[in-house]
Amino acid sequence: MSANNLYNDQGGAEPAVEAGQETTPTSSSAGVGSGLFSSDFKKNDDLKEMLESNKESLKLEAMKRIVGLMSRGRNASDLFPAVVKNVANKNIELKKLVYVYLVRYAEEQQDLALLSISTFQRGLKDPNQLIRASALRVLSSIRVPIIVPIMMLAIKEAAADLSPYVRKTAAHAIQKLYSLDPEQKDHLIEVIEKLLKDKSTLVAGSVVMAFEEVCPDRIDLIHKNYRKLCHLLVDVEEWGQVVIINMLTRYARTQFLSPWREFDENSEKTFYDSDEEKEQADSRPYVMDPDHRLLLRNTKPLLQSRNTAVVMAVSQLYWHLAPKHEVNVVTKSLVRLLRSHREVQYIVLQNIATMSIQRKGMFEPFLKSFFVRSTDATHIKTLKLEILTNLANEANISTILREFQTYVKSQDKAFAAATIQAIGRCATNIDEVTDTCLNGLVLLLSNRNETVVAESVVVIKKLLQTQPSQHSDIIKHMAKLLDSITVPMARASILWLIGEYCERVPKIAPDVLRKTAKTFTAEEDIVKLQILNLAAKLYLTNSKQTKLLTQYILNLGKYDQNYDIRDRTRFVRQLIVPNEKSGALSKYAKRILLASKPAPVLESTFKDRDRFQLGTLSHTLNTKASGYLELSDWPKVAPDQSVRNVEVFEPVKEWAPSVGKAKPAKSDKFYSDSEEEEEEEEASGSSSSAEDSSSSEGRYQSTFSHRLSLPVSSVYVLSMCYMHRMCNVQAFALCLLRPNAPPQKKNLEILFAQPVSSPVFVPHMSHELLHRMSGKGLAACYHFPRQPCIYDPRMVSVQLTFTNCGEQPVQDLRVGEASPPALSLHRFAAVERLEPDSSITVSMGIDFNDSTQAASFQLCTKEDQFSVSVQPAVGELFMPVTMTEQDFHKEQGKLTGMNESSTTVTVASESTSAQIITRKVVCVANMGVVPSSQTNVHRFAAKTASSEALVLATVELKEASAARLLVNTEETVIGSMLLRDLKTALSQG
């Protein structure tokens, strides 16, 4: 426990410590303060007297001053004997400060620390759990090998302590003891095995950390605790979650088959196996282990964690363990982390860069999230540039190149250079834009920024190697720029290009050699080497014009100060100028110097980083760090699943409202993740479940479903019809026989987990559907009755009122084609005849798919067709939900971060009463009112009709007619629209 935590445990401790550090409360301490850094410091005699005093206030003041001295780097070890005497003091705050002191000086004052061992051992028996934990922490901090047996005994006793806090401290002490004496490994493993069975969430993270430090290869210790750790994971503290997820990632790679292969390949065929048997074996599909699915399912909710390390840990787990089609669930969470600090952005972007190489489709929808901002640091800009380059394809390359054009103009020279390299990579990866990129880079050669010009030359050189015959004009243009370019790398690249393709520019190459010969002595070494290469190549291809120039350059290089230049000169002279001493190598000079070179491959720097586990230090540094544990390859044969079979650990559910008595789960199906098996099992409605149910309603529904062979969802429709007294045979037939019926729920508990209530308020507001002039005498309007749709729970109920304003009857009034064709709607029964000056009201259901986009369809009569559309307000897409205040807080806690929208609104002074606020909210949205224990806080709950996503709204009244409006929902678009509508309604008088 750190000193800061110790001070914060008591109300006035922190100010007192600061006073002890910075001020001089007594005359005696004034001398100490003035002589703190002087040579005549008198060994803190006044502090010793205060520690030996009978007044606890003086002792406490002395300890605060001592800790203050420690925090400023002063040596207070001479006070060790006086401090140790106060270990047995009954004042908890004083004890904590004493323990802080002892942890700091126990290793330096080993002899005196050994004298206090008995005191610490007595502290291990203290009735206060904080004292027991502090005593163990101090004891394990004494780095004295002689007390290892005592520490071992203390750890074993603490591991069996009734307090989970003490057991957590024991897990921390295991790592300290192991670093002090690795020979105790076997005994420590026994303690770890015992603590791994602990069911406390406080202990889980610490013991797994001890496991990773002491015996990470003992996978057998995890078998029996695997499922328990998966279930506890959500409730463990955040840093414990990170450790457990990383450990379970390594465990899963050794115990489960790879989900990345389509068929099972774990059987070896013998010589005598028939082809038919082989085909049958090869056709067996891959079936994921239930425990593998359990891990993926229980870690998925942690993607909503506020801790970026937890989100990153879950993301790497899905990347290394999940089937390829399920990895996309981590994309939104990773993109959300880009709003964090630049340190977090750096790590997240590095991992996204590695992912985007193999899975471009994951991040393509979020392309704009990686656009560079002016406030980004250079290393952040470079990583975003890397990701944009990885995501480039034929569809989005135009957008990316337009973005790159802006980046090239940046004042950050390093970033501009990196952008040019990215353009070069895009040009090599996408053939359709190669010429466009090349022309753009040529235009950059006239840029005033030397860095941009130099980098453009280097990239153009690499691009021209792919198609040199088609770009001789560019080579000529670059040769002309040689006089103005001063960057050595750029000049060297131009000279290399001219020398490599000197036969395509026969008139320009000798002139370039002539100019560079004049400036040879003033050039950089890298440029001199390319001048020598150019001279040698021209000597072999155009010796008549360049023979004398070549000899002149070779003579200059012979006496150059750099030994590399001198060596290259001697080599070139012997290679191209035959004489008596030159050997057979000169015969092959042309084949050596003018050989065709392969075009360079522009690859991402993150291409090979996938060999390291994502999120690790090794991945960040791109080199294996100390302590890195590699992920093993997937096993070819599935290990035995029975090693994990233990008694099932079921956490207590805090909120699980249900209808009737829930059917008990079978032990062998508890971890099964096959949705089809669960649906088939519950759709069949066995008679045993009906007999076990103690609720008459549950018994009736299960029996009814069994007799009619209907799914539970159909029983739900029947019960809804009964509740709303709209039971007719035609509606039943439509509901039961529709091919796109609502998906079956697993059981009635889940179906009624958030019971739908009747609407609080139904506004009588009609909207025009068809004007009588446009409808040739037929007028139509619609409104939303805010009742559950009897045809499909996912649909929104809409009532249409038709009026015949003409003189002739309207015949065969019906709904025609819908737009778009995929729009799901339930048409009303055709109206055979509507007499003049008469009206009729019909109902229909529309699945808006949780969107305010208008539903368009054809309204047909016997003679005409009219295009009409129903435009829903966002509040009409909801169904009210009944919920307690406690359940509201719990669900709201799950919908934070990106799922939360808030704003401040000024409420009219006459509209601050609870009745008026409730009326305004329920008028805007079809939401249920949640009881509130606070008079200034009003809560409302609903769920969307289509996806059943929970929507929570809170109106908190502040001072001066101000109010805070908060909306929580997974549907962020709906949340923002609802927030806007509610703000408008509440701000009106």
Side-chain angles (χ1 to χ4, degrees):
M1 184 179 294
S2 64
N4 292 333
N5 292 336
L6 295 178
Y7 302 155
N8 293 334
D9 286 344
Q10 301 295 331
E14 186 171 353
V17 173
E18 293 178 359
Q21 293 178 358
E22 304 295 340
T23 64
T24 55
T26 62
S27 59
S28 59
S29 62
V32 175
S34 61
L36 184 61
F37 296 101
S38 60
S39 58
D40 57 345
F41 189 68
K42 296 186 177 181
K43 305 274 185 182
N44 300 314
D45 292 337
D46 58 330
L47 293 177
K48 292 181 180 179
E49 295 176 1
M50 295 172 69
L51 288 171
E52 294 174 357
S53 173
N54 294 328
K55 295 183 179 181
E56 289 190 359
S57 59
L58 290 177
K59 293 182 179 180
L60 186 59
E61 179 65 26
M63 284 307 306
K64 290 176 180 178
R65 287 175 53 192
I66 291 172
V67 174
L69 293 174
M70 292 166 51
S71 66
R72 289 185 287 184
R74 292 300 300 171
N75 183 12
S77 58
D78 56 309
L79 297 171
F80 198 95
V83 173
V84 170
K85 295 178 182 178
N86 294 280
V87 173
N89 196 291
K90 295 181 180 181
N91 189 316
I92 296 179
E93 185 179 357
L94 180 61
K95 274 189 175 182
K96 290 179 180 179
L97 295 176
V98 171
Y99 284 134
V100 170
Y101 176 88
L102 294 177
V103 170
R104 168 65 180 84
Y105 290 109
E107 187 173 0
E108 296 181 9
Q109 302 286 337
Q110 295 185 9
D111 296 335
L112 294 175
L114 292 176
L115 297 176
S116 59
I117 291 296
S118 59
T119 307
F120 302 141
Q121 288 179 310
R122 287 196 301 270
L124 295 172
K125 305 295 183 181
D126 194 279
N128 190 318
Q129 60 174 352
L130 296 178
I131 300 302
R132 296 199 301 273
S134 298
L136 179 60
R137 185 177 293 107
V138 174
L139 188 63
S140 60
S141 300
I142 302 176
R143 315 294 295 171
V144 182
I146 195 173
I147 66 167
V148 166
I150 299 176
M151 292 173 59
M152 189 72 234
L153 181 61
I155 290 175
K156 288 183 177 180
E157 291 180 354
D161 197 280
L162 296 178
S163 169
Y165 180 70
V166 178
R167 300 198 298 272
K168 177 186 179 73
T169 308
H172 291 164
I174 289 175
Q175 307 169 52
K176 298 179 181 179
L177 180 55
Y178 179 72
S179 63
L180 179 63
D181 186 8
E183 295 182 359
Q184 300 293 325
K185 181 177 181 178
D186 294 337
H187 299 290
L188 293 176
I189 290 177
E190 296 177 2
V191 181
I192 291 175
E193 184 176 9
K194 180 179 180 180
L195 289 175
L196 281 172
K197 299 176 182 178
D198 200 308
K199 296 182 179 181
S200 173
T201 56
L202 195 64
V203 182
S206 300
V207 67
V208 171
M209 187 65 202
F211 169 83
E212 291 286 81
E213 289 289 334
V214 178
C215 52
D217 56 334
R218 288 290 305 273
I219 297 296
D220 57 294
L221 299 179
I222 306 299
H223 290 323
K224 299 295 183 182
N225 304 287
Y226 171 81
R227 294 169 182 168
K228 181 199 68 177
L229 289 174
C230 288
H231 284 292
L232 289 178
L233 191 57
V234 179
D235 299 318
V236 176
E237 49 91 18
E238 293 173 337
W239 294 110
Q241 289 174 345
V242 175
V243 176
I244 294 176
I245 290 173
N246 290 330
M247 184 274 294
L248 292 179
T249 303
R250 292 194 304 107
Y251 177 87
R253 287 294 289 258
T254 63
Q255 299 300 313
F256 305 130
L257 292 177
S258 171
W260 302 337
R261 57 183 182 179
E262 186 175 358
F263 298 104
D264 191 0
E265 301 173 356
N266 60 352
S267 55
E268 296 181 0
K269 301 301 173 187
T270 60
F271 180 81
Y272 295 100
D273 281 348
S274 63
D275 294 339
E276 183 178 352
E277 293 176 352
K278 184 176 181 179
E279 290 178 0
Q280 293 177 356
D282 291 342
S283 63
R284 287 182 297 177
Y286 164 78
V287 178
M288 180 175 287
D289 191 297
D291 289 329
H292 191 172
R293 174 59 62 187
L294 175 70
L295 176 60
L296 296 176
R297 185 171 61 243
N298 285 16
T299 53
K300 185 177 179 180
L302 297 180
L303 289 171
Q304 304 295 330
S305 175
R306 294 174 297 177
N307 190 308
T308 55
V310 176
V311 177
M312 194 64 247
V314 178
S315 300
Q316 67 85 22
L317 181 140
Y318 264 78
W319 178 259
H320 293 295
L321 300 182
K324 292 184 178 180
H325 64 277
E326 296 183 18
V327 179
N328 292 343
V329 300
V330 308
T331 306
K332 288 185 178 179
S333 300
L334 288 175
V335 173
R336 171 172 61 88
L337 297 184
L338 298 181
R339 303 175 183 176
S340 303
H341 303 291
R342 61 176 58 180
E343 295 82 7
V344 175
Q345 290 183 42
Y346 179 71
I347 299 299
V348 174
L349 287 172
Q350 277 199 327
N351 289 274
I352 292 178
T354 301
M355 294 180 179
S356 60
I357 294 176
Q358 299 183 17
R359 309 271 180 87
K360 290 186 177 182
M362 283 181 61
F363 299 97
E364 282 182 9
F366 304 94
L367 184 69
K368 293 185 178 180
S369 299
F370 303 106
F371 285 177
V372 174
R373 299 179 180 179
S374 59
T375 56
D376 289 336
T378 302
H379 60 281
I380 301 297
K381 293 179 181 178
T382 306
L383 285 173
K384 286 186 175 181
L385 202 61
E386 179 73 27
I387 295 171
L388 288 174
T389 309
N390 293 340
L391 298 180
N393 54 34
E394 293 81 356
N396 58 26
I397 186 62
S398 58
T399 303
I400 294 177
L401 288 180
R402 282 198 302 271
E403 194 73 12
F404 284 173
Q405 289 177 2
T406 306
Y407 299 164
V408 170
K409 302 174 184 177
S410 173
Q411 297 298 323
D412 189 341
K413 295 183 179 180
F415 174 57
T419 303
I420 295 173
Q421 294 178 4
I423 294 174
R425 281 182 54 195
C426 292
T428 56
N429 296 337
I430 305 174
D431 297 335
E432 288 80 358
V433 296
T434 301
D435 293 338
T436 304
C437 294
L438 197 55
N439 293 333
L441 292 173
V442 172
L443 293 177
L444 291 177
L445 294 177
S446 57
N447 196 291
R448 296 180 181 179
N449 191 333
E450 291 185 356
T451 306
V452 173
V453 175
E455 200 63 41
S456 300
V457 169
V458 174
V459 175
I460 288 173
K461 167 207 162 187
K462 295 178 180 178
L463 292 179
L464 289 181
Q465 287 185 255
T466 59
Q467 297 174 337
S469 60
Q470 302 177 12
H471 303 291
S472 58
D473 293 338
I474 296 177
I475 299 176
K476 295 177 182 178
H477 180 66
M478 295 175 66
K480 295 178 182 178
L481 294 175
L482 190 63
D483 295 336
S484 59
I485 296 176
T486 58
V487 179
M489 179 57 73
R491 293 178 64 81
S493 298
I494 293 175
L495 292 173
W496 184 91
L497 271 177
I498 295 173
E500 185 68 18
Y501 307 112
C502 57
E503 296 178 351
R504 294 186 174 87
V505 284
K507 297 181 179 179
I508 294 178
D511 191 55
V512 171
L513 183 64
R514 178 183 60 80
K515 290 182 179 180
T516 53
K518 294 180 180 179
T519 60
F520 182 87
T521 55
E523 298 285 358
E524 296 289 337
D525 293 340
I526 187 173
V527 181
K528 291 179 180 179
L529 291 174
Q530 294 305 324
I531 294 174
L532 289 172
N533 288 341
L534 175 61
K537 292 176 182 179
L538 288 176
Y539 184 87
L540 295 175
T541 58
N542 191 3
S543 60
K544 292 182 179 179
Q545 291 182 323
T546 60
K547 183 176 181 180
L548 295 176
L549 279 175
T550 303
Q551 292 178 354
Y552 173 72
I553 291 173
L554 291 177
N555 290 331
L556 291 177
K558 182 178 179 180
Y559 300 103
D560 195 88
Q561 295 180 354
N562 189 299
Y563 59 86
D564 284 335
I565 307 298
R566 297 196 299 270
D567 290 346
R568 177 69 64 87
T569 301
R570 285 193 293 268
F571 170 74
V572 170
R573 186 187 296 275
Q574 294 296 324
L575 185 63
I576 66 175
V577 183
N579 53 38
E580 298 177 357
K581 297 182 179 180
S582 48
L585 195 62
S586 60
K587 299 179 182 179
Y588 304 100
K590 285 189 176 182
R591 296 178 62 181
I592 293 174
L593 294 176
L594 301 178
S596 59
K597 281 81 173 176
V601 180
L602 301 178
E603 295 181 343
S604 171
T605 56
F606 288 82
K607 182 178 181 181
D608 297 329
R609 289 204 186 189
D610 55 352
R611 68 183 187 274
F612 297 113
Q613 184 178 353
L614 294 183
T616 60
L617 179 62
S618 298
H619 178 270
T620 302
L621 301 177
N622 198 22
T623 185
K624 188 173 182 180
S626 176
Y628 173 73
L629 299 174
E630 294 184 357
L631 285 178
S632 60
D633 295 329
W634 294 99
K636 296 182 179 179
V637 180
D640 186 13
Q641 300 180 7
S642 62
V643 295
R644 293 183 291 275
N645 290 340
V646 290
E647 182 181 356
V648 176
F649 172 77
E650 299 186 22
V652 179
K653 295 182 179 179
E654 296 182 6
W655 178 48
S658 60
V659 176
K661 182 178 179 180
K663 182 175 66 176
K666 296 182 180 181
S667 59
D668 57 340
K669 293 292 184 181
F670 185 82
Y671 292 104
S672 175
D673 193 62
S674 176
E675 300 293 339
E676 296 180 359
E677 293 179 2
E678 294 179 1
E679 291 174 359
E680 292 175 2
E681 177 185 350
E682 294 178 1
S684 63
S686 63
S687 58
S688 61
S689 64
E691 295 173 0
D692 293 341
S693 176
S694 60
S695 170
S696 60
E697 183 178 357
R699 183 183 303 112
Y700 169 76
Q701 288 181 343
S702 61
T703 307
F704 188 74
S705 173
H706 175 64
R707 289 179 180 178
L708 293 183
S709 299
L710 299 177
V712 176
S713 57
S714 300
V715 179
Y716 166 74
V717 174
L718 294 177
S719 61
M720 292 297 294
C721 291
Y722 174 76
M723 286 190 292
H724 295 281
R725 300 179 180 179
M726 300 181 67
C727 240
N728 59 73
V729 177
Q730 185 180 9
F732 283 161
L734 288 171
C735 293
L736 302 181
L737 299 180
R738 285 189 70 216
N740 57 345
Q744 299 180 18
K745 303 293 181 180
K746 294 184 179 180
N747 50 40
L748 290 177
E749 264 192 331
I750 297 178
L751 190 62
F752 292 97
Q754 293 161 349
V756 176
S757 63
S758 58
V760 179
F761 175 76
V762 181
H764 298 285
M765 182 183 297
S766 296
H767 309 274
E768 187 179 64
L769 182 67
L770 180 66
H771 193 269
R772 60 186 178 86
M773 299 298 292
S774 303
K776 298 180 180 181
L778 177 65
C781 59
Y782 66 92
H783 82 281
F784 298 93
R786 293 190 173 182
Q787 294 291 341
C789 183
I790 64 172
Y791 312 112
D792 190 334
R794 296 175 298 179
M795 291 185 176
V796 176
S797 181
V798 183
Q799 285 189 359
L800 308 179
T801 301
F802 298 105
T803 303
N804 187 357
C805 302
E807 298 178 354
Q808 300 295 328
V810 177
Q811 297 181 359
D812 193 18
L813 181 59
R814 67 192 186 279
V815 175
E817 296 181 357
S819 177
L823 176 65
S824 176
L825 55 83
H826 175 79
R827 296 167 171 81
F828 58 85
V831 179
E832 296 182 0
R833 186 181 181 88
L834 183 61
E835 297 295 337
D837 297 328
S838 61
S839 300
I840 187 173
T841 300
V842 296
S843 297
M844 66 182 298
I846 303 177
D847 185 0
F848 291 100
N849 197 23
D850 293 346
S851 171
T852 56
Q853 182 178 0
S856 303
F857 54 89
Q858 296 287 334
L859 195 60
C860 305
T861 64
K862 186 177 180 179
E863 299 176 351
D864 297 299
Q865 291 184 355
F866 310 102
S867 297
V868 296
S869 60
V870 176
Q871 177 77 48
V874 66
E876 305 299 340
L877 303 176
F878 303 154
M879 294 301 295
V881 170
T882 301
M883 185 180 293
T884 64
E885 184 177 8
Q886 181 182 2
D887 297 337
F888 185 94
H889 286 303
K890 180 179 178 182
E891 294 300 320
Q892 190 179 41
K894 300 177 183 178
L895 298 172
T896 57
M898 294 179 64
N899 300 325
E900 182 176 278
S901 304
S902 63
T903 186
T904 303
V905 60
T906 302
V907 182
S909 58
E910 65 274 8
S911 303
T912 56
S913 64
Q915 184 178 2
I916 296 178
I917 289 178
T918 301
R919 180 174 59 80
K920 287 187 175 183
V921 172
V922 298
C923 183
V924 171
N926 186 19
M927 306 187 76
V929 180
V930 178
S932 177
S933 59
Q934 300 168 283
T935 57
N936 66 323
V937 179
H938 308 279
R939 299 181 175 89
F940 308 88
K943 67 177 181 180
T944 58
S946 182
S947 64
E948 298 187 358
L950 201 60
V951 181
L952 306 177
T954 306
V955 180
E956 182 180 358
L957 296 177
K958 303 286 188 180
E959 297 178 356
S961 299
R964 181 171 180 262
L965 188 57
L966 186 68
V967 176
N968 300 84
T969 180
E970 292 180 354
E971 302 289 344
T972 54
V973 177
I974 285 182
S976 60
M977 296 174 66
L978 176 62
L979 189 72
R980 180 190 60 197
D981 292 352
L982 290 178
K983 181 178 180 180
T984 303
L986 292 174
S987 61
Q988 295 176 352

